[in-house]
Amino acid sequence: MFEFDQYLGFLAFLTILTIGFWLMIFLLTFVIPYWVFGSSIERFKEIMAERKAKREA
């Protein structure tokens, strides 16, 4: 069915595919939401600081 080098290539393909799959799951469920919400919170803090500076000036 498979020769040994084809078997190793198939295992390498499955390994890379699996690593890519779990990397995408990790990025979509943790990294991207963390990045989006963190930057939104920081922008909100900047806006509030600008408003406070305008009120005091």
Side-chain angles (χ1 to χ4, degrees):
M1 184 168 146
F2 280 129
E3 293 194 23
F4 188 68
D5 58 342
Q6 290 176 324
Y7 178 68
L8 287 179
F10 181 68
L11 284 180
F13 170 74
L14 284 181
T15 302
I16 292 168
L17 184 74
T18 304
I19 290 171
F21 172 76
W22 288 114
L23 178 64
M24 286 302 296
I25 294 295
F26 175 70
L27 288 174
L28 290 173
T29 59
F30 179 72
V31 174
I32 292 175
Y34 182 81
W35 177 35
V36 169
F37 286 117
S39 62
S40 300
I41 289 171
E42 287 297 317
R43 182 64 184 137
F44 180 72
K45 287 179 182 178
E46 290 174 7
I47 290 172
M48 297 307 281
E50 288 173 7
R51 287 184 183 172
K52 185 176 180 184
K54 283 184 182 178
R55 266 188 278 137
E56 291 176 356

